[in-house]
């Protein structure tokens, strides 16, 4: 047990709990409030919602780990992060206008309406939930690492405690609770990582530039590709960057932030200011090279290990406490958004479209105690259902954490990214190509998602065959995207043209 760090961590959990619960009391309490905050987020909340949601436990734990394991391969974060939200600048304002006019609060329900196909919503919603689980496991993993280092508890127990707090403020506060806790978490992350990332290299090596001089002399292969022992082929590295760029703004929980903004213009301003948040990756890269020179471990504990290099210093307990605070903030700022979005998506994008089927409608009615009103007609019942799904999603992810302990957080993220990149053709063709129709959208999603799941199974069960199919080791998400685009274009051209009235609703 580290007393100061434990005090800081538990105090932070209490503050996050209070802020999240109180923030939720400002709204009217309906579905629109729970999911989109009545479209009232201002510039401050939007800045931190976007930044803190993007930079999760993956950024803090995975970046230094990546430097030690693969050297300059870790720079891919800067490459995709710098341009990943650019598409949102162009389509985000339109999405905000359409959402406010039509009452949409999720990505999939907007495109189900655009393509006049409930199946599109069910496909996108179901695939999103599958992608959310590994992404949530990353956040739980980060929380578990911190709690183990601070208290000595098993990682799964520590993660469970942290996410019990997250569950309470997500259930009570909805997206408002997520937004205002993200403000606190974002401020903590920025300050703690910049201070530690600049102070530690200066303390140990005199300056950041002097540290890199040592790296050039002792480990020059860690500054260029393909990295140590040729671990990162150029083709694979390029495919990682490309997949991350194309999938960055397609994550449904990010896309949904367009619906929470106070105005369409604010969505664009949030994209413009977002890169200022991205700069905090730099001190994490510095810390990775400090760990490399000091012979640090190449696992997810490396960041906390680094602080112990100055264990004899008077400032050590304070540095450790606030680094633990920052990692926890990173974990929670993304985890709460994923849980909230997962509940919203399951109800709005999966259950409501399926409710039109008699058997599903009958089952849902039984689960609701025999109420005659449909889920679509009962706004409060939708919110209750979202809360139930949030709890279930958190529980499933926590259980999966136990079997994913040896998996790199970066590898988990790249696996998760293979799914949302399949939404790119639906989004871009849906908003910019008048000829795109429901048949094309369904065919594209089935082709893309089917391809990535098939390749994933082959990778796990027949590695030799996977090497023959994919000799360049390209990310499976990109291969699925090619199949997706081809199928969507072909079936859209063969299918009926969308009506003029429909196109006008979506500003086409």
């Amino acid at each position: 047990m580290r007393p100061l760090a434990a005090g800081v961590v538990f105090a932070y959990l209490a503050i996050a709990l209070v802020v999240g619960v109180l923030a939720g009391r400002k709204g009217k309490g309906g579905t629109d409030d729970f999911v989109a905050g009545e479209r009232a987020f201002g510039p401050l909340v939007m800045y931190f919602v976007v930044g803190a949601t993007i930079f999760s436990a993956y950024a803090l734990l995975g970046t230094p780990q990546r430097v030690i394991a693969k050297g300059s391969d870790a720079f891919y974060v800067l490459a995709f992060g710098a341009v990943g939200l650019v598409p949102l600048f162009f389509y985000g304002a339109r999405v905000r206008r359409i959402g406010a006019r039509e009452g949409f609060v999720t990505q999939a329900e907007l495109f189900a309406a655009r393509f006049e196909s409930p199946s599109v919503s069910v496909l996108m919603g179901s695939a999103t939930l599958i992608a959310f689980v590994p992404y949530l496991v990353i956040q739980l993993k980060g929380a578990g690492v911190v709690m183990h280092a601070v208290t000595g508890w098993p990682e799964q127990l520590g993660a469970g405690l942290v996410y019990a707090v997250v569950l309470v403020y997500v259930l009570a506060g909805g997206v408002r609770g997520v937004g205002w806790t993200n403000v606190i978490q974002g401020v903590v992350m920025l300050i703690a990582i910049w201070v530690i990332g600049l102070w530690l290299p200066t303390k140990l090596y005199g300056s950041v530039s002097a540290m890199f001089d040592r790296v050039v002399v002792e480990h020059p292969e860690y500054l260029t590709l393909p990295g140590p022992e040729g671990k990162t082929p150029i083709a694979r590295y390029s495919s990682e960057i490309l997949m991350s760029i194309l999938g960055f703004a397609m994550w449904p929980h990010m896309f949904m932030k367009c619906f929470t903004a106070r105005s369409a213009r604010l969505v664009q301003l949030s994209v413009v200011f977002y890169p200022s948040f991205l700069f905090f990756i730099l001190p994490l890269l510095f810390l990775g090279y400090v760990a490399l020179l000091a012979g640090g471990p190449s696992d997810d504990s490396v960041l906390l290990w680094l602080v112990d290099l100055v264990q004899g210093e008077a400032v050590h307990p304070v540095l450790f406490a606030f680094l633990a605070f920052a990692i926890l903030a990173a974990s929670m700022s993304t985890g709460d958004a994923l849980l909230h979005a997962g509940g919203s998506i399951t109800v709005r994008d999966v259950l409501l479209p399926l409710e039109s089927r008699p058997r599903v409608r009958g089952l849902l009615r039984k689960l609701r105690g025999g109420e005659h009103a449909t889920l679509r007609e009962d706004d409060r019942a939708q919110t209750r259902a979202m809360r139930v799904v949030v709890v279930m999603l958190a529980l499933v992810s926590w259980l999966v954490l136990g079997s994913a302990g040896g998996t790199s957080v970066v590898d988990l993220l790249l696996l998760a990214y293979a799914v949302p990149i399949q939404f790119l053709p639906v989004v871009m063709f849906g908003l910019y190509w008048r000829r795109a129709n429901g048949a094309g959208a369904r065919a594209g999603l089935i082709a893309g998602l089917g391809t990535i799941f098939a390749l994933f199974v082959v990778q796990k069960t027949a590695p030799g065959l996977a090497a023959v199919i994919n000799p360049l080791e390209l990310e499976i998400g990109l291969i699925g995207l090619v199949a997706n685009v081809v199928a969507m274009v072909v079936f859209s051209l063969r299918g009926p043209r969308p009506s003029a009235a429909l196109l006008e609703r979506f500003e086409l």
Side-chain angles (χ1 to χ4, degrees):
M1 175 75 76
R2 301 180 186 239
L4 178 61
V8 169
V9 163
F10 286 116
Y12 162 64
L13 290 175
I15 292 170
L17 182 65
V18 172
V19 170
V21 171
L22 291 179
R25 296 185 176 182
K26 294 182 179 181
K28 297 177 181 178
T31 301
D32 187 62
D33 179 46
F34 185 83
V35 180
E38 296 173 336
R39 309 178 198 275
F41 279 8
L44 177 68
V45 179
M46 281 296 292
Y47 176 78
F48 283 103
V49 160
V50 172
T53 298
I54 289 171
F55 293 107
S56 62
Y58 143 72
L60 272 72
L61 297 178
T63 303
Q65 173 203 16
R66 194 80 165 186
V67 171
I68 297 176
K70 297 185 177 181
S72 61
D73 174 279
F75 296 169
Y76 95 103
V77 181
L78 296 174
F80 84 79
V83 296
L85 281 189
V86 169
L88 193 64
F89 179 88
F90 294 99
Y91 71 70
R94 181 189 291 189
V95 166
R96 169 59 176 77
R97 289 193 302 269
I98 295 171
R101 186 171 63 244
E102 302 284 342
F104 301 134
V105 293
T106 70
Q107 179 190 48
E109 69 178 353
L110 186 154
F111 290 101
R114 161 64 179 88
F115 293 113
E116 298 181 303
S117 173
S119 299
V120 167
S121 178
V122 174
L123 281 169
M124 293 179 70
S126 301
T128 296
L129 291 174
I130 294 171
F132 273 6
V133 171
Y135 207 175
L136 269 167
V137 170
I138 295 172
Q139 315 319 318
L140 288 159
K141 190 180 179 82
V145 167
V146 168
M147 295 304 287
H148 175 71
V150 169
T151 66
W153 298 347
E155 289 187 9
Q156 197 151 9
L157 174 61
L161 174 66
V162 171
Y163 272 79
V165 172
V166 172
L167 274 178
V168 172
Y169 73 70
V170 170
L171 296 177
V175 75
R176 292 179 189 271
V178 171
W180 281 103
T181 53
N182 279 182
V183 172
I184 298 171
Q185 292 153 349
V187 170
V188 169
M189 287 163 56
L190 289 174
I191 294 174
I193 295 304
W194 271 110
V195 169
I196 296 170
L198 294 178
W199 182 83
L200 201 57
T202 302
K203 173 67 179 176
L204 295 176
Y205 303 106
S207 67
V208 172
S209 60
M211 177 194 69
F212 275 110
D213 288 341
R214 285 276 303 274
V215 175
V216 169
V217 172
E218 298 178 21
H219 302 285
E221 70 277 13
Y222 280 79
L223 294 170
T224 59
L225 290 176
E229 301 175 11
K231 289 182 179 178
T232 307
I234 297 296
R236 178 172 176 78
Y237 184 67
S238 300
S239 74
E240 287 179 359
I241 293 174
L242 184 59
M243 187 178 75
S244 299
I245 289 173
L246 296 177
F248 201 40
M250 293 300 113
W251 277 103
H253 66 290
M254 282 302 303
F255 193 97
M256 288 167 64
K257 299 302 179 282
C258 297
F259 301 123
T260 65
R262 188 179 296 165
S263 67
R265 181 64 173 166
L266 183 55
V267 176
Q268 294 178 313
L269 288 175
S270 299
V271 175
V272 170
F273 288 113
Y274 149 74
S276 64
F277 209 104
L278 175 68
F279 286 136
F280 104 120
I281 290 294
L282 292 175
L284 288 168
L285 291 170
F286 299 161
L287 291 171
Y289 282 103
V290 170
L292 173 67
L293 291 173
S298 59
D299 59 29
D300 302 329
S301 67
V302 63
L303 199 56
L304 293 167
W305 177 89
L306 274 168
V307 179
D308 284 339
L309 290 176
V310 291
Q311 198 159 12
E313 299 285 335
V315 75
H316 171 260
V318 176
L319 286 178
F320 190 92
F322 280 92
L323 180 59
F325 189 173
I327 298 172
L328 212 54
S331 164
M332 294 168 67
S333 64
T334 301
D336 56 15
L338 292 168
L339 288 171
H340 170 265
S344 306
I345 288 166
T346 301
V347 174
R348 300 284 293 204
D349 300 343
V350 180
L351 294 183
L352 291 188
L354 290 176
E355 192 180 35
S356 60
R357 300 178 182 181
R359 289 185 180 179
V360 177
R361 185 164 59 248
L363 177 60
L364 290 175
R365 185 170 292 162
K366 287 180 181 179
L367 292 174
R368 295 171 56 215
E371 294 183 28
H372 292 290
T374 64
L375 193 60
R376 187 177 293 279
E377 295 167 341
D378 191 338
D379 187 70
R380 292 192 177 278
Q382 288 183 40
T383 306
R384 289 195 299 270
M386 290 174 186
R387 291 187 170 113
V388 171
V389 175
V390 166
V391 174
M392 293 173 62
L393 184 58
L395 181 59
V396 168
S397 301
W398 182 73
L399 293 173
V400 172
L401 174 65
S403 61
T407 306
S408 159
V409 292
V410 178
D411 292 335
L412 282 172
L413 186 68
L414 288 170
L415 171 61
Y417 258 93
V419 172
I421 196 176
Q422 304 311 315
F423 303 155
L424 180 67
V426 170
V427 172
M428 302 311 290
F429 288 151
L431 292 175
Y432 294 103
W433 188 30
R434 294 170 60 89
R435 192 69 177 80
N437 57 32
R442 290 190 297 272
L445 286 169
I446 292 170
L449 293 170
T451 298
I452 63 171
F453 288 127
L455 289 174
F456 179 73
V457 170
V458 170
Q459 283 183 345
K460 294 299 180 183
T461 60
L465 178 60
V468 173
I469 296 173
N470 185 14
L472 295 178
E473 300 182 28
L474 300 177
E475 288 296 330
I476 60 175
L478 286 179
I479 300 172
L481 181 63
V482 173
N484 189 330
V485 170
V486 171
M488 186 164 183
V489 170
V490 170
F491 279 80
S492 289
L493 292 174
R494 294 180 59 185
R497 291 178 178 273
S499 68
L502 176 68
L503 295 177
E504 186 177 354
R505 283 176 61 198
F506 290 88
E507 303 183 11
L508 282 168

